Amino acid sequence: MIRELFRENAGSIRVKKEATAVKNLQRIIQAVFAISMEKGFQAMSMRDLCTESGLSMGGLYGYIQSKEELLALIQGQGRRILERFLRESVTDLTDPFDKLAALIRAHIYLSEVARPWFFFSFMESRHLGKEDVSRALAMEAATEKALTDQIEEGIAEKAFAPCDAALIAGLIKAMQQDWYLKRWKFKKRGTSVESYADAVIEMAFSRLA
């Protein structure tokens, strides 16, 4: 994800050596997540970011010019990865049930391996400016639209029972978010990511079959 972020934004990042840039961007983004967990992104200063990442102020400005630019980078990369992952998850699938299951699983599995990105995007979206909130909502809407479209397709093919596709997609989305927002609860219960995905799929199918 970091390497893709660098390549997508190479024109605005002053450091051009990819290996060095990827390593330091990872330090910067991990520092953002750590500080945000402690006191929130809005309260974070560039000096805080220097201290946490171990980079000098000059070194930091080789990658970003402001907090707002950094936030846009993180949000943009998260959205691109999610949209691509969802799109690729249904490639070569034709059965509506298989495609919906793949979409549900893809989101939950991606949020497992990239939980800090998902958690940060959700939690900080409540405190962002209007433009940043729009970007955060776009990432959430992309998932829900993919689910809605797939459910509507299944209804049109008479594979799914008639229902409010947008409502069912919203319920699925809420369960997907629960996995990364309340990870502690499932960890305490010993619930694996595979078991959780299976349960969400089973609940969705029970309404659509």
Side-chain angles (χ1 to χ4, degrees):
M1 291 178 75
I2 303 293
R3 191 173 303 280
E4 278 194 19
L5 185 151
F6 169 73
R7 292 175 178 174
E8 287 282 343
N9 300 277
S12 63
I13 295 174
R14 295 178 184 176
V15 178
K16 301 304 179 185
K17 188 175 180 180
E18 184 171 303
T20 300
V22 170
K23 178 181 177 181
N24 287 334
L25 281 169
Q26 183 169 358
R27 290 166 64 184
I28 291 168
I29 292 173
Q30 287 177 339
V32 169
F33 294 156
I35 296 169
S36 296
M37 286 288 289
E38 182 181 341
K39 63 180 184 180
F41 182 80
Q42 291 301 311
M44 181 189 79
S45 67
M46 293 293 277
R47 190 163 298 280
D48 290 333
L49 194 52
C50 287
T51 301
E52 184 70 27
S53 67
L55 296 173
S56 67
M57 191 67 77
L60 194 60
Y61 282 122
Y63 299 92
I64 56 165
Q65 300 303 304
S66 67
K67 284 171 49 177
E68 292 71 28
E69 181 183 349
L70 177 57
L71 180 60
L73 289 177
I74 293 173
Q75 288 182 321
Q77 182 62 8
R79 186 174 64 253
R80 282 190 296 272
I81 290 289
L82 178 59
E83 289 176 347
R84 191 185 75 213
F85 204 62
L86 293 178
R87 185 173 60 251
E88 291 178 353
S89 72
V90 296
T91 301
D92 300 327
L93 297 179
T94 56
D95 180 79
F97 283 98
D98 289 344
K99 291 170 78 172
L100 182 59
L103 284 175
I104 293 172
R105 235 181 262 284
H107 185 284
I108 293 173
Y109 287 179
L110 182 60
S111 72
E112 171 70 3
V113 298
R115 182 173 177 266
W117 292 71
F118 279 76
F119 192 86
F120 172 83
S121 295
F122 183 90
M123 298 303 292
E124 292 300 330
S125 66
R126 300 171 300 170
H127 311 296
L128 304 176
K130 186 176 180 180
E131 185 177 343
D132 298 321
V133 168
S134 295
R135 284 194 291 262
L137 291 176
M139 180 175 175
E140 184 171 340
T143 312
E144 204 158 322
K145 184 179 186 305
L147 291 167
T148 301
D149 289 349
Q150 186 52 58
I151 293 169
E152 288 178 343
E153 180 183 313
I155 294 171
E157 294 179 10
K158 302 188 183 307
F160 296 161
C163 65
D164 185 333
L167 176 60
I168 300 301
L171 293 172
I172 295 171
K173 174 67 176 177
M175 289 187 285
Q176 290 173 324
Q177 289 175 326
D178 221 30
W179 178 254
Y180 60 85
L181 293 177
K182 300 178 182 178
R183 189 69 182 82
W184 59 269
K185 177 174 66 177
F186 300 110
K187 184 177 181 180
K188 185 176 181 180
R189 293 174 180 169
T191 305
S192 68
V193 64
E194 294 85 2
S195 296
Y196 188 78
D198 287 343
V200 175
I201 291 167
E202 184 178 348
M203 291 180 70
F205 283 7
S206 69
R207 180 61 184 84
L208 297 169

